[in-house]
Amino acid sequence: MTKPLPRPVDFLIIGAAKCATTWEQKSLSASPGIYMPAPELHFFSREYDKGFDWFNAQFAGANPGDIVGEKSNSYLTQPEAAARIHNAYPSVKMIVQMRDPVQRAYSDYCMLLRRGEVDDDIRRHLDPQKAATERFLNDGRYGHHLTRFYALFPQDQILLLAFDDVATHPERQLQWVADHIGYSGQLTPPLHEKVKDKHAAAVPTSLRRLLAPLRPLLDPVRNTAPLSTMRSLVARPFTYPALPDDLKREIEVFYMPEKSTLIELAPNFQPPWIHVRDRPATSNA
């Protein structure tokens, strides 16, 4: 039997998590001539065993001539993903959107706390002495993760973006992506509201856990009027533990080597969270 080949894919948004990549995906998908599957497929990271028949089927809604892409934040951080992507798509364009890694870690922690997947012991989950290799801190090691991609792909195939520009220059941010993927059509204005608002009321954790077995049935209809009405009746304001100043400083120190690696890989990428003191001194000679 002939092994299925990967269907053509023009671009991949590979991360980072909690850096407005869902905003990016939804804004791009609203433009005519760009097609992206709605959910994250995580194919090259977590679902590779499903094979290309499954992966190819996720793009059945694309029209001939569409620029086709996919977003899965786990591609940046899962070690096997870079080589798998390169084997299938050595010429694919990739987009990486990053934010201050300390803020990213805290935001990721708050998201899982809201979902009831972690407890409120913030030091247990964000202290570099206890959790350096766990998701919240490890996912922000941008330099470490990008090294795998720069070893396989030319630099011009990887577009690095700053989360900060989503708030200040969303149209420009989206245009940079469009230029990178070769889209010459008229971009639909980007979303101007948050895709995920951590300050919105949340279903209590105890009820979330009770409903967890029903998620496969509820998720496809979660945005319908009956479900939205029911949710509004039980949702309550959610309080997050603050990030202590001393813990924030410890996390900043943890990420300093990572910033240096990122500077070496991409010296022209200068988001505001890479401070002047993090950059190597330049010679006047």
Side-chain angles (χ1 to χ4, degrees):
M1 182 180 294
T2 303
K3 185 177 181 180
L5 298 174
R7 63 145 293 140
V9 169
D10 301 292
F11 70 96
L12 296 170
I13 299 174
I14 63 174
K18 301 307 297 176
C19 296
T21 55
T22 300
W23 168 90
E24 195 168 64
Q25 177 188 22
K26 288 181 177 293
S27 295
L28 283 173
S29 298
S31 298
I34 297 178
Y35 180 84
M36 301 181 71
E40 295 188 57
L41 302 182
H42 299 292
F43 175 68
F44 293 101
S45 51
R46 304 171 188 167
E47 307 292 348
Y48 199 61
D49 290 343
K50 289 185 175 180
F52 279 101
D53 275 343
W54 178 85
F55 181 71
N56 296 345
Q58 310 310 307
F59 300 89
N63 296 314
D66 281 353
I67 291 179
V68 175
E70 194 244 314
K71 179 200 73 122
S72 291
N73 291 331
S74 58
Y75 293 166
L76 177 64
T77 56
Q78 190 71 24
E80 299 86 359
R84 289 171 176 171
I85 293 171
H86 186 263
N87 288 338
Y89 303 117
S91 300
V92 72
K93 296 296 182 69
M94 286 168 288
I95 299 107
V96 186
Q97 192 155 275
M98 292 169 278
R99 73 191 289 186
D100 182 327
V102 180
Q103 294 179 9
R104 195 223 69 82
Y106 178 63
S107 177
D108 200 15
Y109 164 73
C110 288
M111 179 179 72
L112 292 200
L113 178 64
R114 181 185 178 93
R115 291 179 181 175
E117 296 180 27
V118 297
D119 59 34
D120 60 1
D121 185 351
I122 190 170
R123 292 185 184 273
R124 171 186 172 189
H125 299 288
L126 295 183
D127 186 342
Q129 300 298 320
K130 301 176 182 178
T133 61
E134 302 302 320
R135 162 178 169 160
F136 302 126
L137 296 181
N138 184 62
D139 281 14
R141 299 177 63 204
Y142 308 134
H144 171 76
H145 299 309
L146 280 170
T147 297
R148 294 190 291 269
F149 288 88
Y150 278 95
L152 296 171
F153 296 93
Q155 288 193 13
D156 62 1
Q157 286 179 221
I158 305 173
L159 176 66
L160 304 184
L161 296 173
F163 166 89
D164 312 77
D165 290 329
V166 172
T168 58
H169 301 94
E171 288 84 4
R172 184 181 69 183
Q173 184 90 331
L174 206 60
Q175 188 61 56
W176 282 341
V177 176
D179 293 343
H180 183 62
I181 66 177
Y183 180 73
S184 57
Q186 181 63 47
L187 282 169
T188 298
L191 299 178
H192 284 278
E193 68 275 5
K194 288 184 177 181
V195 176
K196 301 172 184 176
D197 185 358
K198 77 173 186 177
H199 298 293
V203 174
T205 301
S206 57
L207 182 56
R208 278 178 175 270
R209 290 172 179 163
L210 186 64
L211 295 174
L214 301 177
R215 285 288 300 273
L217 298 175
L218 295 176
D219 283 352
V221 295
R222 64 181 303 173
N223 294 321
T224 61
L227 265 293
S228 296
T229 300
M230 291 176 61
R231 186 181 186 283
S232 66
L233 294 174
V234 298
R236 298 290 183 270
F238 198 93
T239 302
Y240 303 91
L243 180 62
D245 288 341
D246 64 317
L247 180 57
K248 180 180 179 182
R249 287 192 294 270
E250 290 177 25
I251 302 173
E252 288 173 344
V253 170
F254 171 77
Y255 280 126
M256 286 182 66
E258 292 296 329
K259 290 184 181 181
S260 297
T261 301
L262 184 57
I263 289 168
E264 292 173 4
L265 289 173
N268 294 325
F269 180 61
Q270 300 187 29
W273 44 267
I274 294 187
H275 305 293
V276 174
R277 67 175 182 270
D278 297 322
R279 295 191 160 271
T282 55
S283 172
N284 293 323

